[in-house]
């Protein structure tokens, strides 16, 4: 399966702390994206990083990509209660660029 | 970004019946996708809805079980046919313009089959 694997599966941290989630994948990619899903809702696209990029920032989000290790990380700084959600990485692969494949997700819970 | 309306938001259905889920977009889009998400799990792509032609199904999903229509560039339906309790899941519609990497999702349909 080309599906990505996130770790940890679940993460609980105190509000204000930083949260780091990791994603690994198996085959070469064009892009990697991170999505957020609030409970009972659809997914929201957060950030895309291309295979020739190593790091990208968007507000409190920082994404890194290491294509040699086939892995990515998502860092959320200064977490807030509203960041409580599931986070999924998704990849589009060079042999199937007409779709993206979602990882298993990390459930993040921000404690007040 | 696109705004997607998905109906119904939830339903409880009897075994053996069928349910049709609608996905309406506020603008014309190139690509429309249907996913299934079982509780606490990731998303699995069911099919890509193609305008004016048959949908492209992923391995493990067949047209007889999940017929899909896409009559135009703003609307699609997914039918879950002859339902069984194993079909209980969240079904999500998403759209993309030319780049499938960036998709916009509907709120999903939470289906329970008794």
């Amino acid at each position: 399966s080309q599906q990505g694997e996130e770790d940890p599966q679940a993460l609980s941290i105190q509000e204000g702390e930083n949260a780091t989630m990791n994603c690994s994948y198996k085959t070469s990619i064009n892009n990697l994206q991170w999505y957020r899903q609030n409970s009972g809702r659809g997914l929201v696209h957060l950030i895309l990083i291309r295979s020739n990029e190593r790091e990208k920032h968007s507000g409190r989000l920082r994404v890194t990509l290491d294509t040699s290790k086939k892995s990515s990380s998502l860092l959320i700084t200064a977490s807030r209660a509203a960041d409580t959600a599931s986070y999924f990485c998704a990849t589009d692969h060079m042999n199937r660029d007409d779709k993206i494949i979602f990882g298993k997700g990390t459930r993040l819970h921000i404690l007040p | 970004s696109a705004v997607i309306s998905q109906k119904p938001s939830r339903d409880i259905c009897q075994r053996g019946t069928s349910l049709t889920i609608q996905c309406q977009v506020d603008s014309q889009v190139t690509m429309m996708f249907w996913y299934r998400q079982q509780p606490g799990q990731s998303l699995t792509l069911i099919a890509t809805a193609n305008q004016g032609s048959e949908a492209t199904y992923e391995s493990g999903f067949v047209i007889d079980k999940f017929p899909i229509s896409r009559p135009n560039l703003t609307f699609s339906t997914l039918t879950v046919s002859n339902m069984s309790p194993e079909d209980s899941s969240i079904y999500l519609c998403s759209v993309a313009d030319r780049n499938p990497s960036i998709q916009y999702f509907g709120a999903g349909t939470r289906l329970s089959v008794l």
Side-chain angles (χ1 to χ4, degrees):
Chain A
S1 166
Q2 295 174 325
Q3 188 175 44
E5 297 270 344
E6 277 100 328
D7 79 271
Q9 292 186 357
L11 178 64
S12 293
I13 61 171
Q14 293 295 137
E15 192 168 12
E17 293 181 341
N18 296 341
T20 300
M21 291 158 272
N22 303 297
C23 168
S24 60
Y25 55 92
K26 297 180 180 176
T27 61
S28 296
I29 62 171
N30 296 314
N31 306 304
L32 184 144
Q33 308 88 45
W34 285 89
Y35 285 80
R36 182 185 73 224
Q37 184 179 33
N38 291 90
S39 180
R41 305 295 296 173
L43 280 73
V44 174
H45 183 266
L46 295 176
I47 194 166
L48 177 149
I49 187 165
R50 302 187 190 285
S51 60
N52 62 353
E53 297 176 312
R54 292 297 168 258
E55 187 171 313
K56 204 160 184 179
H57 297 253
S58 177
R60 294 185 295 114
L61 305 180
R62 173 177 169 253
V63 170
T64 61
L65 178 64
D66 186 335
T67 53
S68 67
K69 295 181 179 177
K70 292 185 170 60
S71 68
S72 173
S73 68
L74 171 67
L75 169 67
I76 303 174
T77 61
S79 63
R80 305 168 182 171
D83 295 328
T84 294
S86 291
Y87 292 82
F88 295 90
C89 70
T91 48
D92 60 333
H93 296 261
M94 291 183 176
N95 61 344
R96 280 300 305 269
D97 58 3
D98 59 337
K99 69 174 188 178
I100 59 176
I101 299 172
F102 285 87
K104 295 180 179 179
T106 293
R107 293 186 305 280
L108 175 64
H109 185 55
I110 308 300
L111 303 168
Chain B
S1 66
V3 176
I4 299 103
S5 299
Q6 192 173 331
K7 295 191 296 188
S9 59
R10 60 177 62 229
D11 208 341
I12 300 171
C13 301
Q14 295 296 320
R15 181 195 300 260
T17 62
S18 297
L19 176 72
T20 296
I21 303 168
Q22 299 181 1
C23 180
Q24 178 76 54
V25 192
D26 68 342
S27 59
Q28 294 186 343
V29 292
T30 308
M31 304 177 191
M32 295 182 80
F33 305 93
W34 287 98
Y35 291 88
R36 183 172 71 186
Q37 184 180 30
Q38 294 178 317
Q41 302 297 313
S42 185
L43 282 74
T44 301
L45 181 64
I46 297 171
T48 302
N50 301 308
Q51 192 262 329
S53 65
E54 193 171 290
T56 303
Y57 289 84
E58 296 299 309
S59 176
F61 298 96
V62 295
I63 188 170
D64 289 346
K65 176 67 176 177
F66 298 101
I68 289 172
S69 78
R70 190 175 174 194
N72 56 52
L73 293 176
T74 64
F75 185 77
S76 178
T77 66
L78 167 75
T79 299
V80 186
S81 303
N82 188 25
M83 289 183 285
S84 67
E86 291 71 35
D87 295 319
S88 297
S89 193
I90 300 170
Y91 292 86
L92 293 149
C93 165
S94 76
V95 305
D97 198 4
R98 290 178 179 80
N99 181 357
S101 296
I102 300 177
Q103 297 186 16
Y104 302 95
F105 282 81
T109 297
R110 187 178 296 270
L111 171 63
S112 296
V113 183
L114 305 178

